[in-house]
Amino acid sequence: MLEQAMKDQVISVFSNLEQNYTLKVEVSESHKNKTELLQLLEDVASCSDKITLEVEAGSALEFTILKNNEDTNIAFRAVPTGHEFTTLLLAILNLDGKGKNIPDTAIIDKIKQINVPVQLKSYISLTCTNCPEVVQALNLITLFNPNVQHQIIDGAINKDEVDALNIQAVPSVYANGEALHVGRASLGELLSKLEKQLGVSGNVTAQGATKNYDVVVVGGGPAGVSSAVYSARKGFKVAIVAEKVGGQVTETVSIENMISVPKTTGAELSANLMKHLQDYPIDVLENRMVESVKLENGIKKLSTSLGEKIETPALIIATGASWRKLGVPGESEYIGSGVAFCTHCDGPFYKDKKVVVVGGGNSGLEAAIDLSAIAKEVTVLEFMDTLKGDQVLQDKLSTLPNVKIITNAQTLAVDGDGAKVTGIKYKDRVSEQEHEIITDGIFVQIGLKANSGAFADVVETNRMGEILIDATCRTNVAGVYAAGDVSVVPYKQIVIAMGEGSKAALSAFEDQIKGLQLAG
């Protein structure tokens, strides 16, 4: 099943395994995916003398990973090909104490504080680009806490179960039978949600003394990484605090406007950003957020979601932006049950169904084009009187017979039957008449909002929450800078964010040099 080139890569990946692993399969003789699963696992096992395959008769299709003949609490009810093949390999590496995704001590301690039994189930699709990050994060929680069990469930193979739960978006995560999360998420976010649902505390305030740095960068996207690298190259002691290195970039499937790099993906670029950080003595503090900032005699005092205390004279805010929500009745209630944000992940659930795309900018038009190949009918709702997307996208849309465009449409509410979306209400802004569209799914594509909430009381922002900066990325507060999508800089693009990040770092360097000169 695996081509020789792929086998050679897997052999290299597993060359330093220290413990023994068993892929224990339980599968019914008649299961249609039996042959595919066994061929895959036989190929994986053949890549290392530390891995063996054991097959038993079962009632469905499932395999678990044993370490030195002991259950690791990680199970796959799936044939982990596609995006999830990496998840299988990484699970074995992580169990062996290897892999660049292993969290720092503070996160591990937080995981260990879960003191009640937890059964996690993550429902995934092999075509979902967001699923591996979530599944791999849940595997890490399982790895560091014996109270936790995790099943990775392919919705296509276990369709009856998915239908019974009315799952219409992936990844969908359940904890002890209750919905926990839908969509992309970092390890830190999942851990916080799990603690809240279980009613356990995971504060790590006893981690030690306050950490001090010359420069602290908040945010791990292109702007944040650029800031950290430039600051480190100036000889500063630097920390970068982020939910995940890569930030919003990790949600991007294809990137074709990175000058000198004709084509890449969000996953590849994020990996390269992390690799660049690791070339310098930068403390990468992932899986946490800055919750508050206090100013005292020129020092910025930060508190993180882990309870950590960090101090610095120079703070660079590069927290980027996130998908904007409609903010109408019914939207939050039906996220994952008809309301979605990612067409690549959730589009397949709407094959031959009716869908609505809210938003007529580039992201909305691209979503409509993607969905037109899957759905029976696509309706685009745009608030303004004309579409705002690029003309090339509008031209493409005009050739699609199953796409309808409605402008001057103000979304009023999302309707549902208690289990799933049934329709969407909007008002014609010209006639003032209200209308309802009967639909199976709603994809929200109305742009981004600045992630500036933790800093709103520290620096000036505009009405949209973007941090006000001058041409050098300086804010109204001395020693505080902002870069990238969280700021007012126009044109939210990766290359612009990288440039702004380096500019912020250079401004911080210049200010600190001036400060030393004045002090001297």
Side-chain angles (χ1 to χ4, degrees):
M1 186 174 188
L2 295 180
E3 296 181 357
Q4 189 57 49
M6 178 59 72
K7 281 188 177 182
D8 291 341
Q9 291 183 42
V10 176
I11 289 171
S12 176
V13 166
F14 286 156
S15 60
N16 294 319
L17 288 181
E18 299 175 27
Q19 307 302 317
N20 294 308
Y21 299 93
T22 302
L23 304 176
K24 184 178 179 180
V25 182
E26 294 186 16
V27 60
S28 67
E29 191 65 33
S30 61
H31 201 288
K32 65 178 182 179
N33 298 100
K34 175 186 176 183
T35 300
E36 182 185 13
L37 176 64
L38 294 183
Q39 285 180 347
L40 174 67
L41 297 185
E42 285 170 1
D43 285 350
V44 170
S46 72
C47 293
S48 173
D49 58 7
K50 295 288 186 179
I51 302 175
T52 57
L53 178 64
E54 181 180 313
V55 183
E56 296 180 357
S59 59
L61 178 143
E62 180 177 354
F63 74 93
T64 56
I65 303 175
L66 306 183
K67 178 180 178 180
N68 297 328
N69 292 320
E70 293 185 1
D71 195 351
T72 64
N73 290 336
I74 296 174
F76 289 79
R77 290 167 55 195
V79 182
T81 55
H83 294 296
E84 295 302 338
F85 183 61
T86 300
T87 297
L88 171 58
L89 303 185
L90 198 54
I92 295 173
L93 282 178
N94 289 165
L95 288 165
D96 214 56
K98 300 175 176 62
K100 294 181 178 180
N101 65 324
I102 298 290
D104 59 79
T105 302
I107 294 294
I108 294 174
D109 287 346
K110 189 177 174 71
I111 291 172
K112 289 179 177 179
Q113 291 182 35
I114 298 174
N115 56 6
V116 296
V118 186
Q119 290 188 330
L120 296 172
K121 292 185 178 181
S122 53
Y123 294 88
I124 57 98
S125 165
L126 298 180
T127 62
C128 170
T129 55
N130 288 333
C131 291
E133 178 183 356
V134 170
V135 170
Q136 291 160 19
L138 297 175
N139 279 345
L140 287 172
I141 295 174
T142 305
L143 169 63
F144 291 109
N145 193 317
N147 291 316
V148 183
Q149 297 179 330
H150 181 210
Q151 289 186 349
I152 300 106
I153 304 168
D154 182 358
I157 293 178
N158 300 277
K159 194 173 184 305
D160 290 344
E161 189 172 338
V162 167
D163 290 343
L165 292 169
N166 285 312
I167 292 173
Q168 293 181 288
V170 288
S172 286
V173 181
Y174 285 72
N176 292 341
E178 295 184 10
L180 177 72
H181 176 81
V182 176
R184 175 179 171 269
S186 66
L187 170 58
E189 183 180 355
L190 290 166
L191 194 50
S192 294
K193 285 191 171 185
L194 187 57
E195 289 170 346
K196 183 177 180 181
Q197 184 161 308
L198 297 174
V200 299
S201 173
N203 201 314
V204 292
T205 52
Q207 280 296 309
T210 298
K211 299 177 181 178
N212 291 276
Y213 297 93
D214 298 319
V215 177
V216 172
V217 180
V218 185
V225 172
S226 178
S227 295
V229 168
Y230 263 70
S231 295
R233 286 177 62 84
K234 292 298 183 181
F236 286 140
K237 182 182 179 182
V238 182
I240 184 168
V241 183
E243 285 191 82
K244 183 171 181 62
V245 170
Q248 183 192 322
V249 164
T250 60
E251 300 180 41
T252 306
V253 176
S254 179
I255 300 170
E256 301 180 6
N257 56 0
M258 277 281 293
I259 308 306
S260 83
V261 182
K263 190 171 185 177
T264 186
T265 66
E268 290 171 343
L269 179 55
S270 297
N272 286 334
L273 291 174
M274 176 62 89
K275 184 178 179 181
H276 205 165
L277 284 172
Q278 292 170 340
D279 286 342
Y280 297 90
I282 298 169
D283 283 358
V284 180
L285 306 178
E286 274 193 297
N287 299 303
R288 66 262 276 162
M289 299 171 61
V290 169
E291 294 190 330
S292 67
V293 180
K294 294 182 179 179
L295 307 178
E296 187 175 310
N297 298 323
I299 299 298
K300 291 75 187 174
K301 298 186 174 184
L302 287 64
S303 296
T304 76
S305 53
L306 295 187
E308 299 159 305
K309 304 298 180 183
I310 302 173
E311 294 185 0
T312 180
L315 171 64
I316 299 176
I317 304 168
T319 43
S322 55
W323 289 113
R324 190 182 298 277
K325 295 182 180 179
L326 295 169
V328 299
E331 178 187 30
S332 296
E333 291 86 339
Y334 290 103
I335 290 176
S337 299
V339 174
F341 299 87
C342 177
T343 58
H344 299 288
C345 300
D346 303 330
F349 286 99
Y350 299 92
K351 182 176 175 59
D352 299 326
K353 295 183 179 181
K354 296 180 179 180
V355 297
V356 171
V357 175
V358 182
N362 282 347
S363 59
L365 301 192
E366 289 171 354
I369 292 169
D370 288 343
L371 290 166
S372 69
I374 301 170
K376 177 172 64 176
E377 181 181 302
V378 181
T379 302
V380 177
L381 297 183
E382 165 56 38
F383 182 82
M384 303 302 290
D385 57 356
T386 59
L387 297 177
K388 300 302 178 184
D390 292 345
Q391 190 59 48
V392 64
L393 296 176
Q394 294 190 42
D395 292 343
K396 172 64 176 178
L397 214 59
S398 67
T399 68
L400 303 174
N402 62 334
V403 177
K404 179 181 179 181
I405 298 168
I406 301 175
T407 56
N408 283 310
Q410 178 183 350
T411 304
L412 300 177
V414 172
D415 289 338
D417 61 7
K420 62 183 184 300
V421 163
T422 58
I424 184 170
K425 288 188 176 72
Y426 73 92
K427 180 176 71 175
D428 186 310
R429 295 174 55 242
V430 176
S431 69
E432 296 291 318
Q433 288 186 323
E434 295 187 7
H435 304 270
E436 182 174 11
I437 300 173
I438 304 302
T439 186
D440 300 295
I442 300 165
F443 286 81
V444 181
Q445 301 284 308
I446 56 173
L448 302 167
K449 65 176 180 178
N451 296 325
S452 60
F455 314 98
D457 295 332
V458 178
V459 294
E460 290 184 358
T461 62
N462 63 14
R463 63 180 181 83
M464 295 180 291
E466 296 171 324
I467 297 175
L468 301 178
I469 57 172
D470 63 14
T472 61
C473 296
R474 292 177 172 93
T475 69
N476 65 305
V477 177
V480 180
Y481 314 83
D485 290 6
V486 74
S487 76
V488 293
V489 66
Y491 312 120
K492 312 300 188 184
Q493 298 291 308
I494 293 171
V495 290
I496 292 175
M498 287 180 171
E500 291 293 299
S502 60
K503 191 195 301 182
L506 292 173
S507 293
F509 173 71
E510 183 178 82
D511 290 347
Q512 292 207 37
I513 291 298
K514 287 180 178 178
L516 289 173
Q517 290 173 343
L518 290 173

